Every structure is written in structure tokens, then in C-alpha cells.
């Protein structure tokens, strides 16, 4: 019984850390993976560096964004911040 009383604060601390830090990070990672998996040609996107563009094409690791009529830039897919609706 004393062991349970001694370990209770540690168990509570681990549970609080899980619900405040680990679980939200896992949910955000899942959203990012779904966004990257749903990427389509013609999508308006913003990169983590703030570059706005239209998806010209993409492969497993890279995406090619058209930023104006003349420029197509190559980015890693992990640089995708959001798809603009």
C-alpha cells in the first residue's frame, strides 16, 4: 500500500505529460501526414518558409511549386505547412 502511495505522484505526472504534450503532438503529426498524402496537382499551398505557390507536380519526397508564370521551385514535401482552400 505504501508503494502505491509513493508511486502515485509519478503516475499522475506521467499521465499529465501524456495528455498535455505527447498526445497533441501525435495528433498534429497525423494531420500533417494526411495533408501530405492528400496533396494534388493544382493545390494552393504555403511552405514552412512562407512561400506561396501552386503544386505543379510531386513525387515521393519532393513537390514542385509554381510561384509565378516563369518560376517552378523544388521543395521537400516535409516543407509543406498548409494547403490553402
Amino acid at each position: 500500500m505504501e508503494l502505491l502511495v509513493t508511486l502515485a505522484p509519478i503516475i499522475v505526472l506521467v499521465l499529465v505529460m501524456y495528455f498535455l504534450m505527447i498526445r497533441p503532438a501525435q495528433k498534429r503529426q497525423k494531420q500533417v501526414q494526411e495533408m501530405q498524402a492528400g496533396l494534388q496537382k493544382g493545390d494552393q499551398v504555403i511552405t514552412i518558409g512562407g512561400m506561396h505557390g501552386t503544386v505543379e507536380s510531386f513525387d515521393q519526397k519532393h513537390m514542385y511549386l509554381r510561384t509565378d508564370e516563369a518560376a517552378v521551385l523544388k521543395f521537400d514535401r516535409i516543407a509543406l505547412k498548409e494547403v490553402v482552400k
Side-chain angles (χ1 to χ4, degrees):
M1 188 63 152
E2 289 181 25
L3 180 63
L4 184 61
V5 171
T6 306
L7 292 178
I10 295 172
I11 293 170
V12 169
L13 181 64
V14 168
L15 289 174
V16 167
M17 286 181 57
Y18 174 77
F19 284 107
L20 292 179
M21 295 172 53
I22 298 169
R23 188 166 178 239
Q26 288 174 338
K27 289 175 84 173
R28 175 69 181 138
Q29 182 65 28
K30 184 178 177 182
Q31 288 174 339
V32 168
Q33 288 174 344
E34 289 173 356
M35 181 177 51
Q36 289 176 352
L39 192 63
Q40 296 179 355
K41 182 177 180 179
D43 284 348
Q44 298 286 327
V45 298
I46 302 173
T47 67
I48 57 175
M51 180 72 67
H52 293 246
T54 304
V55 176
E56 186 72 19
S57 64
F58 55 89
D59 57 27
Q60 197 69 11
K61 290 188 176 188
H62 303 97
M63 61 182 172
Y64 299 86
L65 301 183
R66 180 170 297 281
T67 56
D68 61 17
E69 290 86 33
V72 175
L73 304 173
K74 179 180 178 180
F75 288 92
D76 287 344
R77 284 183 78 157
I78 59 172
L80 179 62
K81 178 181 177 188
E82 76 178 277
V83 176
V84 181
K85 304 251 179 205

